[in-house]
Amino acid sequence: MRLSVFLFILFSLSNSYSQLGCTDPLAINYDASATQNDGSCMYNQTVISTIELANPLPDLLMEQSGMIKEDSMLWIHSDSGNDSKLFAIELDAYTLDQEIEFSNIPNADWEDICADDEYVYIGDFGNNAGNRTDLKVYKMSKSELFGSNPASIVPEVISFSYPEQTDFSEQFNSHNFDCEAMVVIENELFLFTKEWISTSTSIYKLPTTEGQHEAEFLGNISCDGLITGADYDAQLNAICLTGYDLNFGLAPFLFLLWDYTDLDFTSGNKRRLDLDWPSHQVESIAYNNEGKWLIGNEYFSIGPIAFTHQLREVDILSYYTSTVSLEELVHEEFFLFPNPAKEGIHIPENILSISVFSQSGQLILETFDNPKWIDLDPGIYFLHLRTNDRLFTQKAVVLN
């Protein structure tokens, strides 16, 4: 009977109070009455710390440009002016473990790499001068790449153009059709442009099939910087971009996209996180695990000052969450009871950790010891609940 009443209340609420708005309690414009995210969330400027893993990386990676993680290995490539090679770094020791030089995959300007379950994709679409008419993505099977003779791979070639680009004259670092970031999701490639003039990023979609294609424009996102890399967190269905801001002498940042509808990345939350790592040209990013991301930078020097090529890690799990809908709350795994409560709230057994925030976004309580019960003063709270494979937010009310 109790569950039936609960379901009736949820059904009534979902029909009576459904409205668009910002659903993230960490946003400065959070709307407690909103039940559907409209992508309007705004955030205070936030600086996050980085953890140094390797400084420097092997010299062959001085101009690293893209990387992916496969098992315990990090596969990295360099950009224009370098050989057609992939380098494997052992993540425990951060030493060079393997080197593959391809004989059939030229490197005009490799700028990013991504992978799905079966294939690896290398984006040869760097275009600083804006005059390239040979943009492409190389596609190769993992079975060949990690097989006995990867150097002789003949890849599929996904060639493309931007329909919006009509001027192909040389415009070095002064146009909006450069690209250094790519992810693959559900058999589609998504490109994020590096826009020298607008300092925003445009999103384009490509099929993963060989041939000549026109990239499909999906939208533009303001990020106040140059986007240089991308990767995808499949567990939380989130994308993390990396880049740097030229206005502050190469100030690196991350840019998060999550809680979007389907694959419309402009429809969800967009949050920039500045890094406490000034004057480094961050070029590559790879998802590691549980909200942790690996980032790398190119070597460069200014007079006698050198900025070495490094590998660092950032933990941003607490900055992006996926909100549980009213319909999802009927499932036992998300059931908080009682809610509203008078004394405390029972936490389901499958919740591994919990962070409790006030209505204003202040962190009230955080525990990682598989809590079963929490006591809270009267008020309205937002609980960030983490399971093995998911992080989500739920509103809780404690009565007088």
Side-chain angles (χ1 to χ4, degrees):
M1 177 64 71
R2 177 181 293 168
L3 181 59
S4 298
V5 173
F6 179 68
L7 292 173
F8 175 76
I9 292 173
L10 288 180
F11 179 79
S12 300
L13 286 173
S14 63
N15 283 276
S16 301
Y17 297 100
S18 178
Q19 69 178 65
L20 296 173
C22 173
T23 58
D24 187 353
L26 298 183
I28 59 177
N29 62 326
Y30 169 69
D31 183 353
S33 63
T35 59
Q36 183 177 345
N37 193 357
D38 65 355
S40 65
C41 292
M42 298 181 291
Y43 301 88
N44 287 320
Q45 182 177 9
T46 304
V47 179
I48 63 172
S49 60
T50 62
I51 300 173
E52 182 180 294
L53 300 180
N55 181 15
L57 284 167
D59 286 345
L60 290 171
L61 300 174
M62 293 178 68
E63 294 190 29
Q64 61 171 308
S65 186
M67 60 184 174
I68 55 171
K69 180 189 173 188
E70 287 289 322
D71 299 323
S72 63
M73 306 295 288
L74 195 63
W75 292 86
I76 301 175
H77 66 75
S78 299
D79 53 17
S80 60
N82 292 280
D83 295 330
S84 302
K85 292 183 177 182
L86 273 183
F87 303 92
I89 298 295
E90 173 60 54
L91 276 176
D92 291 335
Y94 308 112
T95 54
L96 187 61
D97 180 85
Q98 187 177 352
E99 176 182 327
I100 301 173
E101 182 169 12
F102 299 102
S103 58
N104 302 307
I105 311 178
N107 182 354
D109 194 357
W110 294 1
E111 286 294 352
D112 207 1
I113 183 172
C114 62
D116 54 26
D117 291 339
E118 296 185 54
Y119 297 96
V120 171
Y121 307 83
I122 296 178
D124 192 343
F125 41 50
N127 192 20
N128 285 339
N131 60 350
R132 286 190 65 179
T133 57
D134 61 344
L135 305 174
K136 58 180 68 71
V137 176
Y138 294 111
K139 175 183 177 181
M140 66 194 83
S141 70
K142 287 184 175 180
S143 60
E144 288 186 291
L145 180 60
F146 304 129
S148 60
N149 191 24
S152 62
I153 290 174
V154 178
E156 295 181 41
V157 180
I158 305 167
S159 300
F160 72 95
S161 60
Y162 303 107
E164 291 77 17
Q165 183 177 10
T166 57
D167 185 355
F168 292 90
S169 62
E170 185 171 315
Q171 304 170 69
F172 191 76
N173 292 359
S174 58
H175 63 96
N176 288 332
F177 292 98
D178 200 354
C179 184
E180 297 188 3
M182 170 181 64
V183 298
V184 58
I185 306 173
E186 297 180 4
N187 296 316
E188 293 181 310
L189 294 168
F190 297 91
L191 312 183
F192 297 84
T193 59
K194 180 182 183 182
E195 302 194 351
W196 294 93
I197 298 176
S198 71
T199 64
S200 62
T201 185
S202 292
I203 307 167
Y204 285 88
K205 182 173 71 173
L206 286 174
T208 56
T209 53
E210 188 172 24
Q212 180 68 47
H213 306 278
E214 285 193 346
E216 179 184 352
F217 175 76
L218 300 180
N220 183 273
I221 296 175
S222 177
C223 55
D224 296 322
L226 302 177
I227 296 301
T228 59
D231 204 1
Y232 176 61
D233 177 354
Q235 289 185 330
L236 293 181
N237 192 27
I239 289 174
C240 189
L241 308 173
T242 190
Y244 53 85
D245 187 339
L246 287 174
N247 293 328
F248 298 97
L250 296 182
F253 63 87
L254 303 180
F255 201 89
L256 298 175
L257 305 172
W258 81 102
D259 202 23
Y260 37 75
T261 301
D262 298 324
L263 293 176
D264 178 7
F265 308 125
T266 65
S267 68
N269 297 330
K270 313 163 197 64
R271 183 170 189 177
R272 172 168 161 155
L273 299 171
D274 295 309
L275 303 179
D276 65 342
W277 195 24
S279 302
H280 286 79
Q281 186 174 330
V282 176
E283 290 282 340
S284 55
I285 184 168
Y287 177 69
N288 193 4
N289 56 60
E290 296 185 352
K292 295 181 176 65
W293 299 74
L294 303 169
I295 53 176
N297 70 292
E298 283 191 8
Y299 173 93
F300 80 99
S301 60
I302 303 176
I305 303 174
F307 299 89
T308 56
H309 44 300
Q310 304 175 34
L311 181 68
R312 295 203 173 203
E313 185 179 67
V314 290
D315 186 346
I316 56 176
L317 185 63
S318 61
Y319 295 99
Y320 63 109
T321 66
S322 54
T323 304
V324 175
S325 68
L326 290 171
E327 290 78 12
E328 289 178 298
L329 292 177
V330 304
H331 298 292
E332 182 180 355
E333 61 174 318
F334 301 133
F335 188 75
L336 299 183
F337 184 82
N339 187 19
K342 286 190 176 181
E343 295 179 354
I345 297 175
H346 170 73
I347 307 298
E349 289 188 1
N350 63 321
I351 301 301
L352 301 181
S353 67
I354 181 171
S355 301
V356 181
F357 294 85
S358 67
Q359 268 192 298
S360 63
Q362 179 183 1
L363 180 64
I364 303 297
L365 171 69
E366 191 167 36
T367 177
F368 300 93
D369 57 357
N370 195 12
K372 299 297 188 297
W373 181 271
I374 57 172
D375 293 305
L376 296 169
D377 294 331
I380 298 175
Y381 301 92
F382 298 93
L383 280 58
H384 288 203
L385 306 165
R386 179 177 169 272
T387 65
N388 277 324
D389 60 357
R390 192 172 181 193
L391 180 71
F392 56 89
T393 300
Q394 184 175 345
K395 181 178 178 180
V397 178
V398 179
L399 304 175
N400 287 312

